[in-house]
Amino acid sequence: MTKTKAAVVGITGGIGSGKTAATDRFASHGIDVIDADLMSREVVKPGKPALTAIAEKFGADQILLADGSLNRRALRDIIFTDNNKKLWLESLLHPLIRDEIIQRLRASKPPYCLLVSPLLLETDQHKLCERVLLIDAPESLQLSRTQQRDQTSETAVKAIMTNQLSREKRLAAADDIIINDSDLAALYAAVDLQHQKYLEQFS
Ligand code: ATP
């Protein structure tokens, strides 16, 4: 029998591990990709209730740009130094982002779709997934690839890595793992293989 609902595979991995490169390859096979980062921007667009709540809490003059959109950098700076404000913001936004994600997942084509989220394992978003796929790369490669991509310093990338979930925790949460320690052709071959497995598993 043909399934009508798409199974959900969540993608995780540290900075510069190759999540985007892997996701693009899955997408080239026609797999729908739901990007939680886009959803997190969607819920704070002008006119959305969350933006009104944020402006009331922190002051419109502090966190709105001249065109009425959210000044994300200003908001980041405010919550970076105040954990209570960070928690307030998360309790406002995470359920909204989750609802938005669920709507998109429901509209995705079977047999499976991908959920890409920087907070897949840090929030309960992973509970929306049948499988969690980890894109894993040695730290030295995460560093060099990110530095090259973003034209940034080793110190800046290391600071982000320190704040991210540890490799051990990601490995413990993963159902499937692709090791991205060679060239892009090897990554694509590994993705193609995994795609075939998911097709068999979810069809
Ligand atoms: P972030 O968490 O920062 O969004 P990411 O996990 O999405 O990162 P990518 O952007 O896919 O990582 O990869 C980081 C950089 O490394 C990109 O420039 C990408 O093209 C490159 N890259 C990824 N995998 C390989 C590989 N196997 N060989 C060479 N370059 C690679």
Side-chain angles (χ1 to χ4, degrees):
M1 196 178 73
T2 315
K3 295 217 171 121
T4 53
K5 198 168 150 277
V8 182
V9 174
I11 286 216
T12 184
I15 182 168
S17 57
K19 296 181 295 295
T20 308
T23 302
D24 289 350
R25 184 71 181 183
F26 278 106
S28 78
H29 290 299
I31 294 304
D32 283 339
V33 176
I34 287 82
D35 184 339
D37 219 29
L38 296 181
M39 306 300 103
S40 72
R41 286 162 196 272
E42 191 70 37
V43 299
V44 292
K45 281 204 168 142
K48 297 276 177 160
L51 187 58
T52 311
I54 293 169
E56 275 172 16
K57 172 93 175 168
F58 300 121
D61 53 336
Q62 299 292 312
I63 57 97
L64 292 185
L65 294 166
D67 65 358
S69 65
L70 179 64
N71 185 340
R72 300 176 70 88
R73 174 175 288 239
L75 186 62
R76 245 199 327 268
D77 288 346
I78 291 173
I79 62 167
F80 191 69
T81 51
D82 187 328
N83 201 45
N84 281 334
K85 288 180 178 161
K86 180 168 182 262
L87 292 175
W88 178 87
L89 188 70
E90 285 175 356
S91 66
L92 172 74
L93 295 184
H94 285 176
L96 297 173
I97 296 168
R98 188 185 154 91
D99 286 351
E100 196 77 32
I101 289 173
I102 289 172
Q103 274 187 34
R104 310 282 166 130
L105 293 175
R106 285 199 182 128
S108 293
K109 1 182 234 316
Y112 78 98
C113 63
L114 287 185
L115 171 58
V116 188
S117 170
L119 297 177
L120 188 76
L121 303 178
E122 289 85 342
T123 63
D124 60 4
Q125 285 170 13
H126 60 98
K127 293 186 186 156
L128 301 169
C129 305
E130 269 85 349
R131 306 287 291 182
V132 170
L133 169 62
L134 171 66
I135 310 298
D136 193 32
E139 289 192 357
S140 56
L141 278 178
Q142 283 182 266
L143 271 174
S144 58
R145 286 175 184 161
T146 309
Q147 267 180 270
Q148 193 169 14
R149 183 194 61 190
D150 299 345
Q151 296 299 305
T152 185
S153 70
E154 183 172 322
T155 319
V157 185
K158 276 191 172 158
I160 294 171
M161 282 167 73
T162 311
N163 271 315
Q164 289 189 330
L165 211 65
S166 69
R167 217 167 150 230
E168 289 65 36
K169 286 202 173 133
R170 284 191 210 278
L171 282 164
D175 300 297
D176 308 300
I177 301 171
I178 289 178
I179 313 269
N180 182 21
D181 63 354
S182 180
D183 57 12
L184 277 172
L187 174 65
Y188 294 160
V191 168
D192 294 355
L193 198 65
Q194 192 63 56
H195 170 63
Q196 288 307 324
K197 285 188 190 162
Y198 287 146
L199 286 182
E200 280 165 28
Q201 206 166 340
F202 297 127
S203 291

